[in-house]
Amino acid sequence: MLNPFASATREDVMCTVRVVNTFENLAAHVELDDGVTVEPGDEVLVHGKPIIVPFGESAIERRKATITRATWLERKWTKMTGDLEFMELLEFSFSGEELS
């Protein structure tokens, strides 16, 4: 069994960053090279200056990224508590108006 208290490991990889700023879409997406996958609890830091894209345009840049791998204990904790935290992503609104 893996040591649950082992320190986190770091891995540097190249990545492609795509940023879109249009009326239909405001998005940023990172694709890691060489089929590298990110597991629950891992953190990815993309290096470099912020990518600023004017309205109506998109940009693609190559950057270096550092992946900090979660320890065994962090990974288990993330899996156990992840289902509880999804509620933070929801936005609720209540009003006094009746639905028609």
Side-chain angles (χ1 to χ4, degrees):
M1 181 172 154
L2 298 172
N3 180 357
F5 303 106
S7 62
T9 59
R10 292 183 182 198
E11 177 181 351
D12 289 331
V13 297
M14 291 303 293
C15 66
T16 302
V17 181
R18 289 182 173 81
V19 181
V20 179
N21 184 8
T22 63
F23 180 76
E24 298 86 18
N25 215 352
L26 177 60
H29 185 72
V30 175
E31 292 179 22
L32 302 172
D33 289 359
D34 302 326
V36 175
T37 58
V38 179
E39 300 293 330
D42 292 347
E43 296 178 8
V44 178
L45 173 65
V46 177
H47 300 277
K49 296 178 184 177
I51 301 172
I52 299 174
V53 179
F55 183 75
E57 297 183 21
S58 62
I60 298 175
E61 289 193 17
R62 297 282 297 156
R63 298 277 179 102
K64 180 176 129 178
T66 300
I67 304 169
T68 303
R69 299 290 183 184
T71 63
W72 179 86
L73 190 58
E74 290 170 331
R75 195 170 311 287
K76 292 299 179 190
W77 178 256
T78 301
K79 287 181 180 181
M80 286 181 1
T81 61
D83 291 339
L84 303 174
E85 294 179 4
F86 85 96
M87 292 296 287
E88 293 178 12
L89 300 174
L90 300 177
E91 181 179 325
F92 295 95
S93 176
F94 298 96
S95 67
E97 298 177 16
E98 291 186 29
L99 295 176
S100 43

